[in-house]
Amino acid sequence: RAADSRGYGSRHGITMDRHYQSAPVAHLAVDRDGIICVANQACAATFNRPAKDLLGKTLTSLFFDRANGKQIVQSLLEHRVTKCEEVAFVYGDDAMRWGQLFAWSVPDDQTVRGTLQIIIIDTTERIRLQRELADSESRFRLLGDSAPVLLWISGKDARCSVFNQRWLEFTGRTMADEVGDGWLEGVHAEDFQACVDTYLTAFVQRQD
């Protein structure tokens, strides 16, 4: 059935079935001029506007940074790229959310007339968590580097990811040398096993 019997999509011969409409991610069809022909229901949540309101608008208009969006759309239409890193999209009237864009072209046939198919996966929450983690690590580095003791951070796998400046000065090694299990290279052979056992036992049991 046509996406909209009176709308832009139907005039371009675009059809959508139930699976397209119920897809959990934003799915758009764009013509050769960069005009949105079809938008499924998930677009409403991704862009905070009715999906039908997107029909007839340019794909560029969905980008928060229009200049950057214009370049991306041009590259997509010329098939120079098929995947974009996280880009900022307009959410509602003037808010911003992040998403990752995937595109592929569809040859002319009876259903889709030379359109570019677009999927946009909302990555806003992941970007937010990444930035919070970066801010947290930045604060740790600021505080840790000024502390008069040796400090480090380890992940759930017990491998170390960050060492403070005092640690690096004490060992005379770089961050790249120490991360992961690299720091063990600085442990004397006679103390090595006891050090590993003590560290892993304390780590597993959450002890000092």
Side-chain angles (χ1 to χ4, degrees):
R1 59 185 175 83
D4 182 348
S5 61
R6 297 165 298 173
Y8 191 86
S10 62
R11 294 201 303 273
H12 283 66
I14 309 298
T15 61
M16 291 195 301
D17 60 19
R18 290 178 307 168
H19 303 294
Y20 185 101
Q21 272 290 5
S22 61
V25 294
H27 194 161
L28 306 161
V30 180
D31 70 11
R32 296 185 182 91
D33 297 319
I35 305 298
I36 299 171
C37 307
V38 177
N40 72 345
Q41 292 304 317
C43 289
T46 301
F47 303 108
N48 194 29
R49 67 185 77 175
K52 63 183 179 61
D53 289 355
L54 299 175
L55 302 181
K57 297 185 181 300
T58 64
L59 182 61
T60 302
S61 68
L62 299 182
F63 290 82
F64 200 82
D65 182 340
R66 297 293 176 85
N68 181 49
K70 185 176 181 180
Q71 293 179 352
I72 292 175
V73 172
Q74 183 177 355
S75 295
L76 291 171
L77 292 174
E78 295 174 358
H79 312 306
R80 296 204 302 268
V81 298
T82 56
K83 173 186 176 183
C84 298
E85 298 304 318
E86 275 82 7
V87 292
F89 291 97
V90 177
Y91 183 74
D93 294 330
D94 56 5
M96 182 182 75
R97 291 183 71 84
W98 292 88
Q100 191 161 30
L101 185 151
F102 300 86
W104 69 97
S105 59
V106 178
D108 290 350
D109 58 23
Q110 297 83 1
T111 304
V112 182
R113 298 178 182 174
T115 60
L116 183 70
Q117 299 292 308
I118 304 285
I119 282 180
I120 298 174
I121 299 175
D122 192 320
T123 59
T124 304
E125 184 64 13
R126 178 161 65 85
I127 293 293
R128 183 186 68 79
L129 291 174
Q130 286 178 340
R131 291 183 173 181
E132 286 185 356
L133 178 60
D135 289 342
S136 177
E137 290 187 353
S138 178
R139 288 193 296 271
F140 170 83
R141 290 176 187 271
L142 180 62
L143 294 173
D145 287 345
S146 61
V149 294
L150 281 62
L151 298 175
W152 75 93
I153 292 179
S154 57
K156 293 181 178 180
D157 57 0
R159 304 186 74 202
C160 299
S161 57
V162 177
F163 296 84
N164 71 341
Q165 187 60 33
R166 185 57 60 90
W167 177 294
L168 301 180
E169 292 172 354
F170 181 82
T171 60
R173 289 159 59 86
T174 67
M175 186 73 73
D177 292 332
E178 299 293 79
V179 293
D181 298 324
W183 65 276
L184 288 170
E185 296 174 5
V187 180
H188 193 281
E190 294 180 4
D191 296 326
F192 185 87
Q193 194 58 54
C195 179
V196 172
D197 292 344
T198 299
Y199 172 63
L200 292 178
T201 299
F203 183 90
V204 171
Q205 298 180 4
R206 298 296 189 265
Q207 296 176 341
D208 291 342

